[in-house]
Amino acid sequence: MIDIATIRKRAKRRKRTQRIGFSTLAMVTLITMVPIAMVVIYVFIQGLPAISWEFLTEQPREGMRAGGILPAIVGTFWLTLGTAVISVPLGVGAAIYLAEYASDNRWTRIIRVAIINLAGIPSVVYGLFGLGLFVLFLNFGTSILAGSLTLSIMTLPVIISTTEEALRAVPSSFRVVSISLGGTRWQTIRRIVLPQALPGIITGVILGLERAAGETAPILFTAAAFFLPRMPGSIFDATMALPYHLFVISTQVPGMPVKIQYGTALVLLVFVLGMNLIATLIRSRSRARRQW
Amino acid sequence: MRSVGWREFVITRLIRAAGYSSILFVGMIFIFLLREGAPAVVEIPFDTLFSERWYPIEDYFGILPLIGGSILVTIGAAVVAVPIGLATAIFIAEVAPRWLREILKPFVELLGGLPSVLLGFLGILVMAPLIRTTLNIPTGLTAFTGSLLLGGIAIPTIVSVAEDALDAVPRTYRDAALAMGATEWQTIWRVTLPAARSGVLTAIMLGIGRALGETMTVMMVTGNAPVLPLSPMALFEPARTMTATIAAEMGEVANGSVHYHSLFLIGIVLFLISLVINLAAASVVFRQRKRAERVLS
Amino acid sequence: MISEIPTPTPEMMPDASITPKIVVKDLQVVYSDGNESLRGINLVIPERAITVLFGPAGGGKSTFLRTLNRLNDLADVAEVSGHIWLDDVDILDSQIDTIALRRRVGIVFARPVVLPMSIRQNITYGLELAGERRASHLDEAVERSLKAAALWEEVHDRLNDPAVALSGGQQQRLCLARVLALEPEIILLDEPTSGLDPISTGKVELSLQELKQRYTIVLVPHSIQQAARVSDFAGFFLNGELVEYAPGKRIFTHPQDQRTEDYIEGRFG
């Protein structure tokens, strides 16, 4: 027999275990969150003094130890844009295929496995692949083109999976109605599904490009120039890029002023954070406005 | 099918091609790695390849220290990231109120988006000195430093995948447990987590895969010494991973040289490891989906 | 492959005096999970009348309806065999233009699904898909179809408002108007009033009585009462088979089959 007092005591003990457990989880979560915030704040504090109009709009001087970082900013911009131009149509197209056309058969599963694998391949291996295929075999040389192509393939899985999710979130009843009114599959996708999924797609694309903009390893042997104090003239030129520049000035150049290092880090961080912020805003906006 | 014009026909073909392109890319990646890396197997004697010395300038191409370095740093990262990542995922999915979730999730996503070169940079300037003085060791650029940072990099992967898995556990499971008088804490451990175990396992695997493949951070903070780690104390000494070796040395080699081929060979090893990890993760995902379909139909 | 339309046998006809619009012969539908949905259906659907298909849930009524405009192509249907002639075209022929078919055979679903756009755009959507761009034609179609669906009075001054802002009953009438805009020959209605209040239901039923002057209507009712109220002809579906098919007046007063009688009198279902 168990009397009431024992039951109460046990209940109390279980309550306490739960309280302790929940507090521990909260603490650990805090341990994850605090460093993220600290990284951002710290880079801002250390980097802000270096930021000036000259820093953002001038060429580097004195072996990168003075002057600005404009070529790196411009280079990252072009690489990101190039990646977008290639990966967005390809990724969105693949997502449309998977969400709207593919039936659940063996080939579709193979495609999914391929995408999962693309997502898992180390970024430096993408760099090797880009070197082997685009730089050497196709003879694009170390160039914005080769770098963008390499980054595009790396970015594909992110764009495909987020876009597919956005497409699948559109209620299937819309599709049935559109088809029943004499719409073809593509008319249905273009007029109903894509417009409804657009905010989600844009969010996914930006998150994918954010990843690409911050990557170093894939452009290491495919696009990046150590020091090239001028603007890239065409897509066949090598270019400086923010992440690679940060790597160079923090490991390869002795006697580098810390201020410039943090300044570069801050510009890179703002680039990435800005994209992240835009993505988050679009997502929350569209959720609030959604009619279904 | 007359109403479906040529435009729709072309677009449909293009979309299908885009869908299948991923298979093509994985295939091409493997082929080009093989093309550039396979000669190394012929050029480098077998016993040299599996020796303890990596010193390409003098034709020592022993990849064991690099594999060892990768394993050491990855295990270190897993020790950091798995408990913290899972705890955070559980907190976000099961404990945190809705408004807090909406803040925490983008925050974790933000960590996932931080460029690894930025973390490496801070690792050199902030973390390494801190570790050197705290532990009183000759250099702060060690496998340990790399592990801590890699752990941080793996955490977002683990959190988001595990959180999805926990989130996918049907509400009714929890309600049933709570209705039988279990506390929320007991429900998490005895019902929700076991129900989500395959997803949680996937999260751990993908997190480890992420750590293993990370390049810039490890290259910048681990000190880059290709030494085979033989004791746990190696954690507090410099190390060199496979990824860092490729990134550090590819820029300096002549195309077509033995050294060049050997770096691609390392790339093949990395590719195959990530293939195994991701195939395993994928099979878990597919099996889980099948089971869910059985349960729901 | 064009197969000859057979002369309908008397059993397929609800009444000898009708003009056939749709002739269904040996229709069989099997879902890909192995479930047989329809078995050996033979019937003739008359022109310009309301034909009601009733029976317990899972009897195959909805599947039958969606076969009439090949909407089942989207579902997990493994096998469809038999023939359905619409006028003189076998619509189960794999060569037929399903897009054109769906413009001739419109459908209204149980749950009103308005597209996420304005009231006006909901109506012009189907016409625009068909390539109609002339504003005058579109305006004319909007007014005509909204009037036919008894919705014009309520919405004519806010055609550019989002359609989701309408009430459930209005949304369902908008769905009907959307189909009418395409000027189909046949209108399929799958329990169109199941989610509506009695007043909205009355409005829909009233417009159906008007519409049958010009259209062939096939309706799956949401109750036997509705079936009895609106039907010119009625077929009783049970477990994928057509048990009885006759003029509405006769089947609801003097059913010939015991199972039909049991169902109408509420002994099962």
Side-chain angles (χ1 to χ4, degrees):
Chain A
M1 282 301 273
I2 305 173
D3 59 290
I4 297 289
T6 323
I7 292 177
R8 286 229 171 98
K9 215 188 283 167
R10 280 189 191 168
K12 218 172 186 178
R13 200 166 59 217
R14 295 196 316 176
K15 271 270 153 59
R16 208 180 56 210
T17 315
Q18 165 151 325
R19 234 182 3 251
I20 295 171
F22 280 4
S23 323
T24 314
L25 291 180
M27 286 283 289
V28 174
T29 306
L30 206 63
I31 291 176
T32 323
M33 301 301 158
V34 168
I36 307 173
M38 269 169 48
V39 163
V40 174
I41 294 169
Y42 187 76
V43 171
F44 262 91
I45 291 174
Q46 296 285 327
L48 267 183
I51 305 296
S52 63
W53 184 245
E54 289 70 36
F55 186 69
L56 297 176
T57 59
E58 281 184 8
Q59 307 288 340
R61 282 177 282 113
E62 297 167 33
M64 296 182 269
R65 290 183 191 83
I69 54 167
L70 182 63
I73 297 176
V74 172
T76 287
F77 174 77
W78 285 119
L79 281 169
T80 311
L81 191 69
T83 305
V85 167
I86 302 159
S87 66
V88 170
L90 206 55
V92 173
I96 292 176
Y97 179 72
L98 288 172
E100 306 289 330
Y101 288 93
S103 50
D104 187 19
N105 58 26
R106 184 141 51 103
W107 277 105
T108 308
R109 276 197 290 279
I110 293 176
I111 293 176
R112 292 195 185 283
V113 169
I115 292 169
I116 291 173
N117 276 306
L118 279 183
I121 293 173
S123 53
V124 72
V125 174
Y126 277 105
L128 288 180
F129 164 65
L131 172 66
L133 174 58
F134 302 125
V135 177
L136 299 176
F137 186 76
L138 295 176
N139 214 5
F140 295 155
T142 308
S143 61
I144 293 179
L145 179 62
S148 298
L149 284 164
T150 311
L151 286 173
S152 295
I153 298 176
M154 192 197 75
T155 314
L156 267 188
V158 181
I159 295 185
I160 294 175
S161 59
T162 48
T163 302
E164 195 190 344
E165 203 177 307
L167 294 171
R168 285 191 187 279
V170 178
S172 62
S173 55
F174 289 170
R175 297 180 180 85
V176 176
V177 164
S178 173
I179 300 279
S180 78
L181 290 171
T184 64
R185 221 168 243 256
W186 171 245
Q187 282 175 325
T188 302
I189 292 167
R190 196 173 65 83
R191 287 169 174 261
I192 304 283
V193 183
L194 277 182
Q196 292 300 309
L198 196 61
I201 296 175
I202 293 176
T203 308
V205 165
I206 295 177
L207 289 177
L209 292 179
E210 171 197 348
R211 194 64 57 84
E215 271 293 352
T216 315
I219 59 170
L220 219 45
F221 339 118
T222 56
F226 185 82
F227 178 54
L228 194 70
R230 60 180 167 82
M231 296 302 146
S234 80
I235 55 169
F236 293 102
D237 277 359
T239 181
M240 293 178 80
L242 278 173
Y244 182 60
H245 187 63
L246 180 60
F247 168 69
V248 166
I249 61 176
S250 58
T251 59
Q252 312 284 304
V253 185
M256 194 69 206
V258 176
K259 195 174 140 186
I260 290 188
Q261 294 179 340
Y262 274 109
T264 308
L266 178 58
V267 174
L268 176 62
L269 185 66
V270 167
F271 207 95
V272 169
L273 275 186
M275 292 173 84
N276 197 297
L277 196 69
I278 292 171
T280 311
L281 278 181
I282 292 176
R283 185 163 45 192
S284 56
R285 265 263 176 103
S286 75
R287 272 196 195 148
R289 209 182 294 160
R290 190 177 284 176
Q291 300 178 346
W292 31 274
Chain B
M1 285 280 144
R2 267 159 288 128
S3 294
V4 183
W6 61 272
R7 223 162 66 138
E8 171 131 2
F9 179 81
V10 172
I11 288 169
T12 307
R13 290 301 148 105
L14 287 176
I15 286 173
R16 175 183 292 268
Y20 278 87
S21 68
S22 298
I23 300 177
L24 177 76
F25 291 138
V26 174
M28 287 209 311
I29 290 173
F30 189 53
I31 288 170
F32 273 88
L33 290 179
L34 268 186
R35 202 178 109 102
E36 307 289 325
V41 184
V42 185
E43 291 159 354
I44 305 168
F46 207 67
D47 50 343
T48 310
L49 201 56
F50 289 95
S51 71
E52 288 176 27
R53 189 143 181 229
W54 176 268
Y55 196 60
I57 298 171
E58 292 177 13
D59 287 341
Y60 289 102
F61 293 104
I63 58 170
L64 289 185
L66 310 180
I67 294 177
S70 278
I71 292 175
L72 178 71
V73 175
T74 304
I75 289 177
V79 169
V80 176
V82 171
I84 293 182
L86 290 186
T88 305
I90 295 172
F91 183 77
I92 292 179
E94 303 292 316
V95 184
R98 208 186 152 72
W99 61 268
L100 190 57
R101 265 179 93 151
E102 298 300 313
I103 299 174
L104 291 177
K105 280 179 79 169
F107 221 70
V108 175
E109 231 167 59
L110 180 66
L111 175 61
L114 287 181
S116 60
V117 69
L118 183 76
L119 295 176
F121 165 71
L122 291 172
I124 294 176
L125 252 68
V126 181
M127 209 153 148
L130 201 69
I131 285 177
R132 183 170 53 83
T133 47
T134 320
L135 298 180
N136 195 21
I137 46 181
T139 172
L141 300 176
T142 62
F144 180 65
T145 322
S147 291
L148 286 182
L149 280 171
L150 275 192
I153 288 172
I155 284 174
T157 308
I158 297 181
V159 173
S160 70
V161 180
E163 204 255 337
D164 279 350
L166 291 168
D167 219 36
V169 175
R171 182 80 250 160
T172 46
Y173 286 26
R174 289 179 201 119
D175 290 346
L178 293 173
M180 287 191 294
T183 61
E184 287 164 311
W185 180 248
Q186 287 170 320
T187 307
I188 290 173
W189 287 104
R190 305 210 186 150
V191 177
T192 315
L193 263 183
R197 66 179 178 281
S198 55
V200 170
L201 202 69
T202 309
I204 294 173
M205 283 194 289
L206 293 180
I208 289 175
R210 181 94 168 79
L212 191 76
E214 181 48 53
T215 310
M216 298 313 289
T217 311
V218 276
M219 173 159 76
M220 292 164 84
V221 303
T222 53
N224 280 325
V227 183
L228 187 62
L230 292 171
S231 80
M233 288 316 290
L235 198 58
F236 300 100
E237 287 160 14
R240 166 81 85 80
T241 65
M242 292 186 279
T243 51
T245 305
I246 299 173
E249 296 178 9
M250 186 51 90
E252 296 152 16
V253 301
N255 290 346
S257 64
V258 180
H259 190 183
Y260 171 90
H261 292 148
S262 72
L263 293 178
F264 270 92
L265 186 66
I266 298 172
I268 295 175
V269 174
L270 278 170
F271 176 84
L272 291 177
I273 294 174
S274 80
L275 201 68
V276 169
I277 290 176
N278 287 289
L279 282 180
S283 77
V284 172
V285 172
F286 283 123
R287 210 175 327 133
Q288 189 187 9
R289 188 172 299 161
K290 270 203 191 118
R291 200 183 54 200
E293 275 162 12
R294 267 206 311 279
V295 171
L296 293 176
S297 67
Chain C
M1 180 200 76
I2 292 186
S3 41
E4 278 303 306
I5 311 175
T7 319
T9 56
E11 307 86 78
M12 294 165 70
M13 310 271 277
D15 193 74
S17 63
I18 59 154
T19 321
K21 179 70 179 174
I22 304 172
V23 178
V24 179
K25 186 96 177 67
D26 299 328
L27 178 67
Q28 188 126 347
V29 176
V30 182
Y31 280 103
S32 48
D33 56 6
N35 276 340
E36 210 175 27
S37 184
L38 291 173
R39 275 178 300 196
I41 303 293
N42 292 292
L43 83 166
V44 176
I45 292 173
E47 167 180 79
R48 290 168 210 257
I50 299 179
T51 302
V52 163
L53 307 174
F54 69 105
K61 300 161 298 184
S62 283
T63 305
F64 178 76
L65 223 52
R66 285 160 190 245
T67 310
L68 293 182
N69 66 351
R70 292 275 300 267
L71 215 51
N72 271 337
D73 290 12
L74 305 180
D76 283 339
V77 170
E79 200 192 311
V80 178
S81 61
H83 302 279
I84 300 177
W85 287 277
L86 172 56
D87 292 339
D88 51 359
V89 184
D90 185 351
I91 63 166
L92 292 186
D93 190 325
S94 59
Q95 299 298 312
I96 70 132
D97 184 344
T98 52
I99 308 296
L101 170 69
R102 290 182 191 130
R103 289 188 187 125
R104 290 176 69 192
V105 186
I107 185 166
V108 176
F109 301 100
R111 205 167 58 84
V113 177
V114 296
L115 296 171
M117 35 180 88
S118 73
I119 295 171
R120 194 192 133 84
Q121 284 168 324
N122 258 279
I123 299 196
T124 57
Y125 182 77
L127 290 168
E128 283 170 8
L129 291 185
E132 179 63 73
R133 287 201 184 78
R134 290 164 297 183
S136 60
H137 278 70
L138 295 175
D139 287 339
E140 184 272 323
V142 170
E143 184 170 341
R144 172 180 54 76
S145 52
L146 280 174
K147 278 180 173 160
L151 192 59
W152 175 254
E153 293 303 317
E154 291 160 61
V155 301
H156 68 91
D157 52 352
R158 49 175 175 140
L159 291 174
N160 292 320
D161 285 8
V164 279
L166 297 172
S167 73
Q170 290 172 327
Q171 288 192 9
Q172 191 62 305
R173 276 176 282 149
L174 179 62
C175 292
L176 180 59
R178 193 168 58 188
V179 167
L180 295 174
L182 283 169
E183 303 200 60
E185 295 160 40
I186 298 163
I187 302 172
L188 313 172
L189 300 114
D190 191 353
E191 303 192 22
T193 55
S194 60
L196 304 189
D197 58 275
I199 294 174
S200 302
T201 303
K203 284 183 181 168
V204 172
E205 286 179 7
L206 199 65
S207 22
L208 291 184
Q209 293 303 329
E210 300 260 324
L211 291 170
K212 78 173 182 188
Q213 314 298 328
R214 296 171 51 207
Y215 302 98
T216 301
I217 295 174
V218 186
L219 171 80
V220 173
H222 83 266
S223 67
I224 297 180
Q225 289 76 10
Q226 185 176 50
R229 270 200 307 271
V230 303
S231 66
D232 294 315
F233 304 98
F236 177 55
F237 271 74
L238 183 64
N239 300 329
E241 286 177 72
L242 181 63
V243 173
E244 188 170 348
Y245 188 37
K249 286 207 181 64
R250 199 173 78 213
I251 202 167
F252 292 110
T253 49
H254 301 96
Q256 305 294 305
D257 194 289
Q258 186 61 42
R259 290 168 293 175
T260 316
E261 188 176 341
D262 287 350
Y263 181 72
I264 291 172
E265 292 178 3
R267 292 203 195 108
F268 72 96

